Amino acid sequence: DVTVKAREAVCDAPIIGAIYPKELENAKIERIGAVPYSPSHLVNTAWDIGWGDSTAIWFWQEIAGEFRVIDYYETRGEALTHYLAHLKSKPYDYDTLWMPHDADNGQLSTGKSIAELARTNGFKVRIAPKLSVEDGINASRQLLKRAMIDAVKCKAGIEALENYRWGWNDRLDEPKREPVHDWSSHGSDAWRYMAVSTKEVKSKTSTLKYEPVPA
């Protein structure tokens, strides 16, 4: 597959203008490895929703002060029901689906927003705090400095973070203040939404089996 080979080539090459190089280098040494799911604690998810583009989802638990990123999922060209079914297929008990602000605004063919449709399928949804991209990136850096990340289940998400980079102004020969929007943006934006939502989340234990309404 030409697209896959091109993506692998990008991942292997030095990333000029990479946004999180030091944080990821340290994380690989100290905190990226096997991060098991704890059945006694609820799972939160953070989403970047693609309107005709990729949708990315990070899964995490916060346990006794540890921030554990246990899973990642991304695909494109699927309806919301596909992603909700994917969540239901996991053995996780869920707390909250953290979504970007447009999840409350965009209307689907059903007449409901994405957030409303997720709620009618038994999920608790909250909108992530709306900060500037710069503030969100700063929050993302801080989270990368302490998060434990599963190396296998989050491989595609880690690749996205590695390849997330600043744009370049050719005329002025200097970096832009905005990141490049490409395949790496989806996982990186979802990480940013996760980072800005963490202060809203407190560790919760799972006492009842989560049983969402069928999609």
Side-chain angles (χ1 to χ4, degrees):
D1 186 284
V2 175
T3 303
V4 171
K5 289 181 179 179
R7 176 169 171 168
E8 289 175 347
V10 170
C11 291
D12 292 338
I15 309 302
I16 298 173
I19 294 176
Y20 304 123
K22 293 181 180 179
E23 291 83 5
L24 285 167
E25 182 180 356
N26 290 334
K28 285 182 178 181
I29 296 171
E30 301 172 355
R31 286 168 282 100
I32 293 180
V35 183
Y37 163 60
S38 170
S40 62
H41 288 77
L42 298 178
V43 173
N44 284 275
T45 63
W47 297 52
D48 178 63
I49 298 170
W51 298 90
D53 208 337
S54 293
T55 289
I57 309 169
W58 290 96
F59 300 70
W60 87 89
Q61 294 180 294
E62 197 157 0
I63 305 171
E66 288 186 345
F67 195 92
R68 304 182 185 183
V69 185
I70 60 171
D71 211 338
Y72 176 82
Y73 183 67
E74 179 182 339
T75 193
R76 63 183 300 161
E78 299 288 351
L80 177 66
T81 50
H82 167 85
Y83 299 98
L84 299 180
H86 181 77
L87 264 64
K88 295 172 188 177
S89 73
K90 297 284 184 177
Y92 307 149
D93 290 350
Y94 293 101
D95 182 4
T96 303
L97 279 53
W98 292 89
M99 294 185 170
H101 68 279
D102 55 357
D104 248 350
N105 302 328
Q107 295 296 310
L108 303 172
S109 58
T110 59
K112 294 182 178 181
S113 69
I114 282 180
E116 289 172 327
L117 184 56
R119 291 181 182 114
T120 61
N121 276 273
F123 291 94
K124 176 183 173 184
V125 179
R126 290 185 63 183
I127 302 302
K130 189 176 180 180
L131 302 181
S132 67
V133 172
E134 182 178 359
D135 287 341
I137 286 174
N138 288 335
S140 295
R141 287 195 174 107
Q142 295 305 311
L143 184 58
L144 279 169
K145 291 178 181 179
R146 67 185 183 94
M148 301 171 62
I149 308 172
D150 189 275
V152 175
K153 291 184 178 180
C154 298
K155 183 175 184 293
I158 294 168
E159 288 180 354
L161 292 170
E162 288 175 330
N163 286 273
Y164 193 49
R165 64 198 187 280
W166 298 111
W168 190 262
N169 188 319
D170 291 327
R171 184 175 68 84
L172 298 178
D173 195 29
E174 64 182 20
K176 296 180 179 179
R177 296 179 63 86
E178 302 83 24
V180 173
H181 182 77
D182 62 5
W183 66 267
S184 69
S185 303
H186 312 295
S188 299
D189 285 347
W191 181 277
R192 179 160 50 89
Y193 296 133
M194 177 167 60
V196 300
S197 300
T198 56
K199 293 182 180 180
E200 307 285 331
V201 178
K202 296 185 183 296
S203 177
K204 294 183 180 179
T205 57
S206 176
T207 55
L208 296 175
K209 182 62 182 175
Y210 175 77
E211 297 180 354
V213 178

